[in-house]
Amino acid sequence: MTITPERLDSMFRPRSVALIGAADKSMFSAGAYRNLVNFGMAGRVHLVNRRGVEVHGRPSLTSCQAIGEPVDVALMMVPQAATIGAMEDAAEAGIKNVIVLSSGYGEAGEDGKQAEADLVAAAERLGMLILGPNMLGFANYSARTAVTAVPVTPGTGDGAVALLSQSGASSSAMVDYAGASGADLSFMVTLGNEAMITAGHILDYLVDDPGTKAVAIFLETIRDPEAFARGARRAAAAGKAVVALKAGSSDLAARTARAHTGALVGDDRVTDAVLRELGVIRVDSIEDMLVTAGTAASVGRLPRRGTSAVSISGGACDILADRAADEGLDIPAFAPETTEKLAGVMPGYGTVHNPLDVTGAAIIDPTIWTRAIEAAGNDPSVGSVLMINGIPTEDSPTATLQRPTYAAIAAGAERSAVPVIWVSQVQQPVTAYTRELLAEYGNPPVIPGLVQAVKTVSHLGWWSQAVDQAAKGPADVALPAPAHDAPRSGQWSEHQARELLASASVSVIGSELVTSADDAAAAAGRLSPGGPVALKIVSPQILHKSDIGGVALGVTGADAVRAAYEKVTAAGGSVEGAEVEGVLVSPMRSGGLELLVGVVRDPQWGPVLAVGLGGVLVEVLKDSALATLPVTPARVTGMLRSLRGAALLDGVRGTAPANGAKLSEEIARIGNLALALGDDLESLEVNPLRVDGDIVEALDAVIEWRTR
Amino acid sequence: MTITPERLDSMFRPRSVALIGAADKSMFSAGAYRNLVNFGMAGRVHLVNRRGVEVHGRPSLTSCQAIGEPVDVALMMVPQAATIGAMEDAAEAGIKNVIVLSSGYGEAGEDGKQAEADLVAAAERLGMLILGPNMLGFANYSARTAVTAVPVTPGTGDGAVALLSQSGASSSAMVDYAGASGADLSFMVTLGNEAMITAGHILDYLVDDPGTKAVAIFLETIRDPEAFARGARRAAAAGKAVVALKAGSSDLAARTARAHTGALVGDDRVTDAVLRELGVIRVDSIEDMLVTAGTAASVGRLPRRGTSAVSISGGACDILADRAADEGLDIPAFAPETTEKLAGVMPGYGTVHNPLDVTGAAIIDPTIWTRAIEAAGNDPSVGSVLMINGIPTEDSPTATLQRPTYAAIAAGAERSAVPVIWVSQVQQPVTAYTRELLAEYGNPPVIPGLVQAVKTVSHLGWWSQAVDQAAKGPADVALPAPAHDAPRSGQWSEHQARELLASASVSVIGSELVTSADDAAAAAGRLSPGGPVALKIVSPQILHKSDIGGVALGVTGADAVRAAYEKVTAAGGSVEGAEVEGVLVSPMRSGGLELLVGVVRDPQWGPVLAVGLGGVLVEVLKDSALATLPVTPARVTGMLRSLRGAALLDGVRGTAPANGAKLSEEIARIGNLALALGDDLESLEVNPLRVDGDIVEALDAVIEWRTR
């Protein structure tokens, strides 16, 4: 079944709803009915109870077919075993959409997986669309519709943040926090096992929803990578931020997630790279997810990544500066013209820099706020202004005393070229009093707490820059047409791997495959006249050449080369069943920097390129960067610069700075060769790729195919 | 003036207070008076106004001397220029303690520094003690006393958290958050410039305050390191947690802090090491500071670092596991007996592991909570249980429905051997309703939000282990008595440095100082028979030996050694004014791992030992660990294990694992030699210290003295 936004509309904007398995004793039923009443849908709900008893103070019907009028959505609260039967009844009554709350499906072992497959098969047979199972329904706030057991309140109907959650049990806390943090919701959808409708489909639907300006998603796994990527790219193109809290970054969480949703959690670092490529903001807490989505919905794209802060507390400025350094948020120095303007604003003892402490003088003269915010908000390197001050949650003498200050701040914000975000020093709820007060001052965006403000503005700054590229999708690169004779199976010999790389224009260190001691000596003379060479046994069956004595390094002189040839071939001959192709002779290199460039197949996202600096940096610190393929040289440059050891490329300890452009081109070529090899490839690794100033060359390579 | 806890008592528990500079138009005066009234001190306050007009609806006096009865504390709200005059008047009236609110002192340039010195001189002359200047007063909640312009409310009087803040402007937000997060305050002291009374003195005072169980401190600088260290150690001995938010970790914050408080912010990494040694929990936000202090006050020391979590939301378990991995919080696997117990508790489809998802079955059967918490809370590797659930902030149908669950949780907590901490899924305030509800269930400790819970329990686990060592203070080590002839000035030659190290039993690579080519060849034959040696010119005036060609490496054979001798002496001779002592001959080494061991003098904390792994790890990644001296070998082992590249010591890429015990002993000897050299030493650096299995030896050393 094709799941289009049009098709989803009948699910998410139902004219009427049936509660199947409605019962007074069911907490789910009671909660769902209470929501329907609160959302003004009491007249559009039908209660179905097998025994036809009075439920929630109303008569019930014994089946959907007894309803006698069209119904758009059935909320299934019957036990798992009775679900398909209830669906058949609903289908008979012409109901096209069902929401399945019960658990015991994909998350519950092999039996559950089978039950889920049966559920989907039944839905397809009946022409029905399923939301769930193992979830708690949805609320569409703009359409004033709630078909959910999660306690929800109607709100203003003007909410702009859609919240999707794979976890039903956490959704209530998320909804509460959205309210408390001022992130007004447009949608709340619990996703459950996503047997038919996945996060990607809903994302796609929400891109077209005029009320939704940003989407917050809590995920344990991305079940339909293709739909998710499509939805995310469309959201990027529409300038709607997608903020994801993706669980499973730790080994422990991966284990936990597997246990409780039956979801296969992929490699978290790949997820990280993919989300970045899709322009999805990845956060690490529910709070960060909702505040960031709420702020994105309110301020949209920021013109620049750098931010400025204006506060009456020097202490707050210090904490902000520290956390900004931790999060990589740029707080640029003010331009000379800004500094000059501010010097005219600030009292004599104040110091003009970013973040700006307006000092106690602003209590006596609130216009200092106005002028400071105006100046900061027109600085050429600033993309937002954080106004840090107490924001009252209830009426008090202090709140009243602060009113001239708020008016002065609002006046400054009107003259700012960039968004001015109000930030409280600590986490605090946005209360009804706060909302009323803010409404008087133009409803500014608000972030609770300094630490959260740094995180959110850092996220939004990144997103504002990343979103164009994300909308474009994969780069348009010309893939090579690699030529080779050997069959695509097992592991190839180093010689075969080198030839393949060379055929795709990857620079490979000169080498010759020889089959006699004399040829070895001659090759050494050609490849490294008077200098040392390396000799390595070549056989697809010998994976760990040096372990069996199949490698000789730093061999100088014809006699020594001949002796080394005999040694490594003898070692090769001792390995049972090894087909020895010969011995590879290549020059020894010293100096320069070694990198590891590898491509592996991710089960969800296809071939993934990993780039790391060699030696201890990769082995001990796992310092590497990932990207899906294809990659452009510019993307590779970004990957290299993101490495913790990136400074090594600029030349330290007397080594020449690497030719970055050339290095990135070579790496992109390796990646795109892997992509060109298609689904047959299991992995391709160049280790090391050596760079020494302008010289970039692969010294060794391993290729493995999926067919053993 | 000696500032003892006894002396401070008259400041912090005044029988009566005078407001100097009281005026209706002053926000400070109005705020301070309102607090005094709210704290029931209206009858113990005297208003002093130069003109004697009615203030705050009460008559005022024109001077302290006009009061006519003993007063303990004067709150000075007069302009800076009038302060000393007002102090003289107060002194005449027998007042011994003054609190100075005005700014324009140490934080305001050279003039301000002078004004502060004058202020202190006046106080000493008058026998007065000053709190401040440049601050907003204090509140002693247990004594129901508030002498502050920060809006405060009396509370229960049973608060257990003392809050100290160098920032006056942020203290109001901190006080509000303490209330909102459930951290009941015993004290609130704004520190300002600490001209006389510093954080350390107050810390010392609070260790003896029976009501205070934990101390939260916001600091921009530690002004009196000795007093601070003494207070922190006494707090550690008393089992009272000290939680510090120390600003200035970023360069930008250091600049900001300098600008706005005039404080010299020391090297943040040294601060980090010192706080750790003192058992002080360092946090990075106001929220973390107050929640951690509040929880420490409530649960005290945890028996073990590992924690367990029990939740009805699998999503919450995942988020918790991810953040625990980020923060290094151990969530150990349950012991077999725990797993067995839990298997009997959990429904068939649930999975038993830590963190534990009790599943929706616990809604129907709340005793699952009881039994799960009992089992987790008696697991042998668990030091706390995090109970993650919604905690209502106001009355609602959901809150009522949850009551059996809360009762079941409380029953489980009673049977737990370790503290059971209630954790909400998201940040939320502890409201009056929440407090009432919790009181019904035994007033459990509460942490708002999953992320905060992970941080706080991680902090407390660390602190619980660190506090004994911190209380003990510096280790008792036998310092060497280094012997040397050379004067302690300038930089010593490598040869002099080596001799000094050797005199303190540090293993130094064998070497000989020679003054002829033949002696060089003979020395090479003795030191490295048939193998390569290094020759280096020895002169205190030649700092960068290799730059001038004063080093020859890998020289093999007598003739080559003679030639190298001539080459390096010639290079040395070309340096004008260089006194050449000779040439140092030492064997060349290869393999093993190189470390950097350095001691530098911190202006606040004295000699600090830095240990790092060599090469790119130190140069590019700045991977090093710090400690103040003296150090024990055990402490050095801890430093080495904390390095990101620590795995290298276990042997990678075919190198032998380092003899850790021997390595730590050598490093401790180097550190303690530096300490023994006393205040004359500027820096001592052994780079590299080479370790190769059981071999540990210094290959090169540099010593610089403070006298140039």
Side-chain angles (χ1 to χ4, degrees), chain A residues 27-28 34 103 107-108 151 167 169-174 176-177 180 218 220 245-257 259-261 282-287 290 312-319 321-326 331 333 349 351 353-355 357 363 397-398 401-402 425-429 448-451 594 614-617 619-621 623 644-648 652-653, chain B residues 27-28 34 103 107-108 151 167 169-174 176-177 180 218 220 245-257 259-261 282-287 290 312-319 321-326 331 333 349 351 353-355 357 363 397-398 401-402 425-429 448-451 594 614-617 619-621 623 644-648 652-653:
Chain A
M27 273 175 65
F28 290 153
R34 192 160 47 230
S103 54
E107 82 286 2
S167 165
S170 287
S171 55
S172 169
M174 293 178 191
D176 288 351
Y177 189 76
F218 172 66
E220 285 155 348
L245 173 59
K246 166 76 178 66
S249 65
S250 64
D251 293 345
L252 187 57
R255 182 154 52 85
T256 307
H260 105 274
T261 68
R282 187 172 187 179
V283 293
D284 64 7
S285 70
I286 296 172
E287 291 89 340
L290 288 162
I312 201 158
S313 164
C317 288
D318 291 346
I319 297 171
D322 285 352
R323 296 297 77 76
D326 292 348
I331 304 189
Y349 56 88
T351 325
H353 51 61
N354 187 16
D357 178 0
I363 298 176
T398 318
L401 279 171
Q402 288 266 319
Q425 288 201 49
V426 289
Q427 274 273 358
Q428 60 175 50
L450 280 175
V451 175
E594 295 189 346
V616 296
L617 287 161
E619 286 172 43
V620 176
L621 301 181
D623 185 21
R644 279 185 285 175
L648 290 171
V652 294
R653 317 191 102 191
Chain B
M27 270 176 64
F28 289 153
R34 193 163 45 233
S103 55
E107 82 287 1
S167 165
S170 287
S171 54
S172 170
M174 293 178 192
D176 287 352
Y177 189 76
F218 173 65
E220 284 154 347
L245 173 59
K246 165 80 177 62
S249 65
S250 65
D251 294 348
L252 186 57
R255 179 152 54 83
T256 307
H260 105 273
T261 67
R282 188 172 188 184
V283 292
D284 64 5
S285 71
I286 297 172
E287 291 90 337
L290 288 162
I312 202 160
S313 164
C317 289
D318 291 346
I319 297 170
D322 285 353
R323 297 297 77 76
D326 292 351
I331 305 189
Y349 57 88
T351 325
H353 49 60
N354 187 15
D357 177 0
I363 298 177
T398 317
L401 280 172
Q402 289 265 322
Q425 287 201 47
V426 291
Q427 275 272 357
Q428 60 176 49
L450 281 175
V451 174
E594 295 189 344
V616 297
L617 287 161
E619 285 172 43
V620 175
L621 301 181
D623 185 20
R644 281 185 284 173
L648 289 172
V652 291
R653 316 191 104 192

Side-chain angles (χ1 to χ4, degrees), chain B residues 67-389:
Chain B
I67 294 173
E69 51 179 275
V71 170
D72 285 332
V73 168
L75 180 65
M76 297 281 173
M77 298 174 294
V78 298
Q80 187 198 331
T83 300
I84 290 178
M87 278 167 63
E88 282 161 350
D89 170 46
E92 282 293 328
I95 300 177
K96 296 274 179 227
N97 302 296
V98 289
I99 302 175
V100 180
L101 263 58
S102 28
S103 55
Y105 289 97
E107 82 287 1
E110 286 310 313
D111 289 356
K113 284 199 178 62
Q114 186 54 54
E116 190 161 311
D118 295 346
L119 189 76
V120 171
E124 282 176 345
R125 172 165 53 84
L126 300 166
M128 291 178 127
L129 200 54
I130 294 175
L131 187 62
N134 185 29
M135 42 77 88
L136 293 173
F138 77 90
N140 177 347
Y141 292 83
S142 4
R144 300 213 155 243
T145 300
V147 191
T148 178
V150 176
V152 286
T153 43
T156 61
D158 299 329
V161 176
L163 166 65
L164 316 185
S165 170
Q166 276 178 357
S167 165
S170 287
S171 54
S172 170
M174 293 178 192
V175 168
D176 287 352
Y177 189 76
S181 66
D184 235 358
L185 295 182
S186 58
F187 262 88
M188 186 285 293
V189 186
T190 63
L191 299 164
N193 293 3
E194 304 173 283
M196 294 180 88
I197 303 174
T198 68
H201 299 121
I202 301 176
L203 202 47
D204 198 31
Y205 175 76
L206 292 170
V207 172
D208 298 327
D209 177 55
T212 299
K213 306 282 182 218
V215 182
I217 313 188
F218 173 65
L219 291 157
E220 284 154 347
T221 184
I222 296 173
R223 284 201 177 78
D224 184 346
E226 212 172 299
F228 187 87
R230 190 175 51 243
R233 288 223 170 81
R234 284 195 63 225
K240 297 186 178 187
V242 179
V243 186
L245 173 59
K246 165 80 177 62
S249 65
S250 65
D251 294 348
L252 186 57
R255 179 152 54 83
T256 307
R258 244 194 310 276
H260 105 273
T261 67
L264 182 84
V265 174
D267 179 350
D268 187 67
R269 294 203 55 224
V270 175
T271 306
D272 220 45
V274 167
L275 293 180
R276 217 175 308 119
E277 288 168 4
L278 294 174
V280 173
I281 299 169
R282 188 172 188 184
V283 292
D284 64 5
S285 71
I286 297 172
E287 291 90 337
D288 198 4
M289 173 175 76
L290 288 162
V291 172
T292 299
T295 310
S298 166
V299 306
R301 287 174 72 170
L302 299 176
R304 272 157 233 114
R305 288 185 81 157
T307 193
S308 68
V310 179
S311 176
I312 202 160
S313 164
C317 289
D318 291 346
I319 297 170
L320 184 91
D322 285 353
R323 297 297 77 76
D326 292 351
E327 297 282 334
L329 172 62
D330 185 28
I331 305 189
F334 285 132
E337 61 268 28
T338 313
T339 305
E340 199 176 311
K341 269 188 242 167
L342 288 169
V345 173
M346 295 284 294
Y349 57 88
T351 325
V352 171
H353 49 60
N354 187 15
L356 182 73
D357 177 0
V358 294
T359 79
I363 298 177
I364 294 143
D365 176 11
T367 72
I368 293 180
W369 279 108
T370 311
R371 293 176 289 155
I373 291 171
E374 179 182 358
N378 288 283
D379 185 272
S381 27
V382 156
S384 55
V385 177
L386 305 179
M387 188 294 296
I388 305 161
N389 199 7

